[in-house]
Amino acid sequence: MLTRSIPKTPQTVTLTDLETGGLNQRVHYPIQLAYIKLVHSHDPYEMQVDCTSEFKLKLPDGYVVPEQAAKVNGYKPEIWAKSAVDRVTAYKEYLSVLAWSCFGGQNPGFDHKFLDEDFYRLGLEWPRLSYYGLVAVDSHARMLRLLGYVENVKQETLCRFFKLGEQTHDALDDILQCAEIYRRLLWLECLGFTDTNVQTAVDMPSELYKKK
């Protein structure tokens, strides 16, 4: 799938984040899903939140989250046993929100392939979308890296740059941080990556994420 640049017309973008049990979608599973659906105005950097939600996902019997992954994403079997939701139930709600939107995120290719694999296992299908490319937030940050403001476009780096605190690897926290980064990067793309504008973007009050 291709990566879409700044939206040209009013549209909705559903930014999505997964925490997973590993890096290989063939043998590992999503363990947490979070999303925020944003509605763009005629000014692309102005947007409203349509909805946001998060699910801890019930894992197949016998699947054990590797210790290394659990350390990163905070997976605890006792918590998931109490609050995890059946994957089909969670996915159906998510897919109803995603319909006629665009799929996006900080690293949407990774999340898309994990969801695609799990949808196949469960007999689910992607809905019709308004655009079939991936809205990749990290691609909007490339100018910051090219101009020397940041050393890379990882979310943890962009969170520090925009004073949003540390990346927690909780799917809901991560996607709200991602949405706030996305808003500021679209503002910079519209007005230009000058030193003054970049500093203004850094100092902006956060509208979509509240630092913990």
Side-chain angles (χ1 to χ4, degrees):
M1 300 182 85
L2 299 176
T3 297
R4 183 180 175 87
S5 60
I6 185 170
K8 301 299 184 185
T9 58
Q11 62 177 291
T12 59
V13 178
T14 303
L15 299 177
T16 304
D17 187 68
L18 296 178
E19 294 300 324
T20 66
L23 301 179
N24 185 342
Q25 75 275 14
R26 304 287 183 184
V27 297
H28 296 295
Y29 291 83
I31 65 172
Q32 188 185 19
L33 164 69
Y35 60 84
I36 180 170
K37 188 173 185 178
L38 302 172
V39 181
H40 287 272
S41 72
H42 288 279
D43 292 320
Y45 56 86
E46 294 183 0
M47 57 191 75
Q48 293 183 339
V49 177
D50 181 276
C51 61
T52 183
S53 192
E54 176 266 339
F55 300 98
K56 292 177 175 62
L57 302 173
K58 190 173 293 184
L59 299 169
D61 292 341
Y63 177 74
V64 178
V65 176
E67 183 179 353
Q68 184 176 1
K71 286 181 179 178
V72 172
N73 54 44
Y75 172 80
K76 292 181 173 57
E78 62 275 14
I79 294 176
W80 258 250
K82 293 179 181 178
S83 57
V85 176
D86 175 74
R87 300 197 329 279
V88 172
T89 301
Y91 288 155
K92 284 184 176 180
E93 182 173 327
Y94 167 70
L95 291 171
S96 70
V97 171
L98 180 62
W100 297 108
S101 179
C102 305
F103 183 95
Q106 174 65 18
N107 181 14
F110 177 86
D111 294 325
H112 188 278
K113 71 180 182 181
F114 257 90
L115 286 173
D116 195 52
E117 182 71 22
D118 216 22
F119 291 171
Y120 178 77
R121 292 184 187 113
L122 298 170
L124 300 174
E125 295 183 355
W126 291 94
R128 295 192 68 176
L129 303 176
S130 62
Y131 181 79
Y132 285 91
L134 300 179
V135 178
V137 174
D138 56 359
S139 71
H140 294 281
R142 289 173 184 166
M143 188 59 71
L144 289 177
R145 183 175 61 81
L146 290 172
L147 294 174
Y149 291 105
V150 295
E151 64 273 20
N152 59 59
V153 295
K154 294 179 180 179
Q155 181 159 323
E156 60 183 353
T157 301
L158 296 174
C159 283
R160 294 191 195 108
F161 180 74
F162 286 118
K163 300 178 182 178
L164 298 175
E166 296 295 321
Q167 184 181 9
T168 64
H169 293 286
D170 172 84
L172 184 58
D173 270 4
D174 284 359
I175 205 58
L176 294 177
Q177 287 177 334
C178 178
E180 181 61 34
I181 291 167
Y182 178 60
R183 183 180 74 87
R184 298 187 193 198
L185 290 173
L186 291 189
W187 185 85
L188 285 169
E189 286 191 354
C190 287
L191 299 184
F193 286 80
T194 65
D195 288 343
T196 299
N197 287 344
V198 169
Q199 188 58 52
T200 299
V202 168
D203 294 335
M204 278 182 179
S206 181
E207 296 182 2
L208 303 176
Y209 174 75
K210 302 304 180 185
K211 185 167 62 173
K212 296 180 178 180

